[in-house]
Amino acid sequence: MIDLDFGNEIAWCPGCGNFPILKALDEALEEVAVDRRQLVLVSGIGQAAKLPHYTRANVFNGLHGRAVPAAFGIKLANHELEVVIHSGDGDMYGEGGNHLVHAMRRNISVKAFVHNNQVYGLTKGQASPTSDLGMVTKLQVDGVKARPFNPMASAVAADCSFVARAFAGDREHLRQMMAAALRCREGFALLDILQPCVTFNKVNTFKWYRERVRRIDPGHDPYDRAAAFALAEEWGMTIPIGIIYRSQRPGYESQLPVLAQGPLVSQAGPPQA
């Protein structure tokens, strides 16, 4: 393992919300004392999916929308690894949406940090699954007609272990949410990160979010599923950030007896003929 110095080679626009996410990730990994030799960052395709290239860890950069099945396979092959997905709203909620739904249903112990800028940035500004109704883009010239996907409500409905939202413009809180997700030892953890695209989304800007995001009341009980649904549905004039939901459902891999014998990669194979 070596330290990499990318100098000025990071391929994000100046002011991109991905920069504070990258910084917060490094801080959270240090805070939780994650051994980077045991860390695997997995991504698909997109600007957010480039993040693993810019930090020190094992990396799997796969096909568009296929970060979840790759992470799933890595975790099952060696469940002692810390597996964290970093990809965008298009990659995770669009192309990879089916994989995400079933990962939450199975509750595999993988963390998914989704950079949600409500637009496709890599392909220069089409509406994504989380674009608001009526948003005008160069492709949706009459405005978006489909209702946006709600990742928080979907994760609560799937009863996955950890559901939270953060904002790239509040790095301290974002670091706290990443650290809390990393400390979640069992089950799927979804962290939706509001990440303004300064080039292709002129609506949901840093200013727009700062006028709306509010930290969740410390008195909120994340194990109260009805209260979690109410927070997950809140979007518009106010947008709650923080831990929305937790469950005590066991992780998928903890229910597989073969994994109790140790990681698959260290188990002896069948006798050779």
Side-chain angles (χ1 to χ4, degrees):
M1 187 69 67
I2 59 173
D3 288 317
L4 301 178
D5 180 5
F6 291 91
N8 296 320
E9 295 181 7
I10 291 182
W12 293 330
C13 303
C16 175
N18 283 329
F19 286 102
I21 295 174
L22 176 62
K23 182 66 174 175
L25 175 66
D26 279 335
E27 293 172 346
L29 291 172
E30 292 302 313
E31 177 181 331
V32 184
V34 174
D35 181 351
R36 298 199 185 217
R37 295 169 297 183
Q38 297 296 310
L39 170 66
V40 185
L41 298 181
V42 183
S43 63
I45 297 296
Q47 293 292 357
K50 295 175 181 175
L51 181 143
H53 304 175
Y54 306 141
T55 191
R56 188 163 55 91
N58 303 290
V59 170
F60 185 95
N61 190 197
L63 301 174
H64 205 354
R66 303 297 178 258
V68 170
F72 197 116
I74 294 166
K75 190 68 177 179
L76 287 185
N78 188 349
H79 61 280
E80 293 184 350
L81 293 173
E82 182 69 88
V83 182
V84 181
I85 297 169
H86 267 277
S87 260
D89 46 309
D91 194 65
M92 291 291 287
Y93 302 151
E95 282 82 355
N98 182 54
H99 298 302
L100 177 67
V101 167
H102 290 288
M104 295 191 296
R105 178 177 66 84
R106 294 177 176 122
N107 211 31
I108 185 79
S109 299
V110 164
K111 283 78 178 175
F113 295 170
V114 182
H115 306 205
N116 182 1
N117 58 21
Q118 300 180 259
V119 79
Y120 280 91
L122 186 68
T123 49
K124 308 196 183 321
Q126 300 89 348
S128 85
T130 54
S131 297
D132 289 322
L133 275 173
M135 180 179 179
V136 175
T137 76
K138 61 184 179 183
L139 185 63
Q140 288 78 26
V141 295
D142 294 325
V144 172
K145 306 299 183 188
R147 294 181 62 85
F149 175 68
N150 186 330
M152 299 290 90
S154 298
V156 175
D159 195 26
C160 70
S161 288
F162 180 93
V163 183
R165 174 171 272 151
F167 170 45
D170 185 348
R171 201 180 86 201
E172 170 58 22
H173 182 262
L174 172 59
R175 178 192 60 75
Q176 293 173 17
M177 292 301 101
M178 286 182 169
L182 291 168
R183 290 189 177 100
C184 177
R185 297 318 311 160
E186 188 166 6
F188 195 81
L190 176 63
L191 176 59
D192 185 65
I193 305 170
L194 304 173
Q195 176 255 317
C197 175
V198 296
T199 300
F200 295 110
N201 188 338
K202 302 300 184 185
V203 177
N204 309 109
T205 62
F206 278 99
K207 179 177 182 295
W208 188 92
Y209 281 117
R210 286 196 174 99
E211 292 172 347
R212 289 166 174 78
V213 296
R214 66 169 181 85
R215 294 191 184 189
I216 292 173
D217 187 334
H220 168 62
D221 176 7
Y223 293 96
D224 183 336
R225 202 173 186 191
F229 268 121
L231 285 174
E233 292 286 348
E234 191 176 332
W235 181 272
M237 296 307 294
T238 59
I239 302 172
I241 56 173
I243 299 175
I244 291 174
Y245 183 67
R246 287 181 184 270
S247 82
Q248 296 178 327
R249 194 158 63 99
Y252 178 79
E253 69 277 17
S254 71
Q255 302 175 68
L256 302 179
V258 67
L259 296 187
Q261 303 170 35
L264 293 181
V265 294
S266 60
Q267 293 184 29
Q272 300 296 312

